[in-house]
């Protein structure tokens, strides 16, 4: 069952998670619980644990894999891509910013 959650709101929630996500895959669990379970009530705590376990089972970054599974549950393929881009945008922009500073040095 796909929920009718605004893609823009979903993007903003995962953008916030991406900006706060420092320290690897284990850090995403409390962030997901806070934002998706407690504040927005989009998924359950059991869903977070299940999607995190699935994210560990497939190759790649655990946080990104978990985000893709959650986004897919919420809004299908479009939701998965929206959540993915929201999560990776802050670190991507930080890398671009730091690289531009290093180029000037």
């Amino acid at each position: 069952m796909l929920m009718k959650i605004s893609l823009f709101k979903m993007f903003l929630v995962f953008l916030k998670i991406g900006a706060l996500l420092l320290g690897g895959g284990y850090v995403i669990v409390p962030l997901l619980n806070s934002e998706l379970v407690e504040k927005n009530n989009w998924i359950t705590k059991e869903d977070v644990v299940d999607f995190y376990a699935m994210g560990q089972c497939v190759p790649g970054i655990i946080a990104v894999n978990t985000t893709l599974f959650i986004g897919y549950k919420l809004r299908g393929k479009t939701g998965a891509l929206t959540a993915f881009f929201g999560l990776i945008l802050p670190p991507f922009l930080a890398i671009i910013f730091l690289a531009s500073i290093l180029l000037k040095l």
Side-chain angles (χ1 to χ4, degrees):
M1 176 179 89
L2 298 178
M3 301 175 75
K4 281 299 173 187
I5 297 166
S6 163
L7 289 174
F8 183 69
K9 180 167 173 109
M10 181 189 292
F11 179 80
L12 291 179
V13 167
F14 281 98
L15 185 74
K16 180 179 177 183
I17 292 171
L20 298 174
L21 186 62
L22 299 170
Y26 296 112
V27 178
I28 198 170
V29 174
L31 292 172
L32 291 173
N33 277 327
S34 172
E35 291 295 323
L36 302 179
V37 176
E38 295 169 8
K39 289 183 183 173
N40 293 305
N41 201 26
W42 290 347
I43 58 175
T44 65
K45 286 185 179 184
E46 291 78 19
D47 287 337
V48 171
V49 172
D50 291 343
F51 290 134
Y52 186 78
M54 288 170 42
Q56 287 182 321
C57 294
V58 295
I61 302 167
I62 297 170
V64 173
N65 294 341
T66 305
T67 298
L68 286 169
F69 289 130
I70 292 171
Y72 187 80
K73 177 181 179 162
L74 296 176
R75 287 290 305 262
K77 291 178 185 175
T78 308
L81 288 175
T82 301
F84 169 75
F85 284 119
L87 186 78
I88 66 163
L89 185 62
F92 176 76
L93 292 177
I95 290 170
I96 297 296
F97 176 71
L98 291 173
S100 68
I101 290 175
L102 288 174
L103 282 175
K104 291 179 183 177
L105 295 176

